Amino acid sequence: MPFLTRYSDDQSTPGIGEALRDAALRAVAPAVLLWAAIVGIGELIRGPLGGLNSENAVSRDVQKTRTPTWDDITAVWSHIGNTEIVIGVCVVAVAILWWRTRQWWVAVTPALAIALQATVFVIATGVVGRQRPTVPHLDPAPPTSSYPSGHVGASTALHVTFALLAQRIERSWLRRVLTTLFLLVPVLVAYARLYRGMHHVTDILVGAVNGLACATLAWGYLRRRTS
């Protein structure tokens, strides 16, 4: 069964217990390994790699491109990745999906994706504790550390899941347009966080990996007949 169409190819209704068991085995357990890998990379950066101080040069180069216009534009892009925005959009999306499809096991995939991402992110950032780039910050610095990027991780997890859901749209032009837009959002958030001095390049890359992995785990959490 193709991964993208797994919920269209098998529309059988799972039991709650079955879904919870599958989620634990196929999403939560792999997310623990993902967390361990992210923490390991973070400790490698802070330890043997000496903090990768060379990344501050990249942040300073990007800072030189700042203009009032781009400051305003990237403020909007950065805000898209804020926790309250991601959660709000996710709640609305889950409600609409549940209402339109009557398939709760599909509707919950965006919520599962951001829940996995947030859990991995919060615990990892607390363990690693990396300092933010040594450039002026254009956004308030949250209490979490710089590594990995929570904004990028959350927006990636949510919008990649949306892109996967969009593959169910029958009209090809609409499916392609929405897929492109959904995949573009995390890219804009990532650039904004770098531009605004909130994260190192590796923070953004690992945040994106976290979001992508969690979206993939959430999409595949439920065992289908031939998967």
Side-chain angles (χ1 to χ4, degrees):
M1 178 186 301
F3 186 71
L4 291 179
T5 60
R6 62 196 318 272
Y7 294 108
S8 299
D9 296 341
D10 180 357
Q11 299 190 36
S12 59
T13 303
I16 299 295
E18 177 188 354
L20 290 175
R21 183 176 61 253
D22 282 355
L25 294 175
R26 295 166 62 94
V28 176
V32 174
L33 299 178
L34 173 65
W35 168 82
I38 288 176
V39 169
I41 294 171
E43 292 300 326
L44 179 65
I45 291 173
R46 291 185 66 237
L49 297 181
L52 284 180
N53 291 327
S54 59
E55 288 191 300
N56 283 311
V58 176
S59 297
R60 287 191 292 270
D61 288 341
V62 175
Q63 179 196 358
K64 294 175 183 177
T65 68
R66 291 176 180 174
T67 66
T69 298
W70 277 107
D71 288 355
D72 293 339
I73 292 173
T74 57
V76 175
W77 293 350
S78 179
H79 196 62
I80 293 173
N82 285 0
T83 301
E84 63 273 18
I85 297 296
V86 170
I87 293 177
V89 170
C90 181
V91 169
V92 172
V94 168
I96 292 175
L97 284 166
W98 204 324
W99 168 59
R100 293 290 296 173
T101 67
R102 303 299 179 184
Q103 296 177 330
W104 59 265
W105 57 97
V106 177
V108 299
T109 54
L112 180 58
I114 66 169
L116 290 172
Q117 184 280 144
T119 302
V120 171
F121 157 70
V122 169
I123 301 176
T125 195
V127 172
V128 177
R130 189 184 191 189
Q131 296 299 311
R132 295 187 183 273
T134 56
V135 296
H137 304 152
L138 298 184
D139 290 330
T144 53
S145 69
S146 185
Y147 174 95
S149 172
H151 280 66
V152 174
S155 61
T156 301
L158 182 64
H159 290 91
V160 168
T161 307
F162 285 170
L164 290 168
L165 288 164
Q167 305 315 301
R168 305 182 80 185
I169 298 174
E170 294 183 359
R171 296 183 180 179
S172 60
W173 70 267
L174 182 59
R175 181 175 64 250
R176 291 168 183 165
V177 168
L178 289 178
T179 300
T180 300
L181 291 176
F182 288 143
L183 295 179
L184 180 61
V185 170
V187 176
L188 299 181
V189 173
Y191 176 74
R193 299 303 283 172
L194 179 64
Y195 175 93
R196 300 180 71 78
M198 304 309 297
H199 292 287
H200 304 278
V201 173
T202 48
D203 304 335
I204 291 169
L205 293 176
V206 175
V209 169
N210 183 24
L212 180 60
C214 289
T216 303
L217 291 175
W219 188 251
Y221 87 97
L222 185 63
R223 195 183 306 274
R224 299 282 78 188
R225 287 198 180 102
T226 57
S227 66

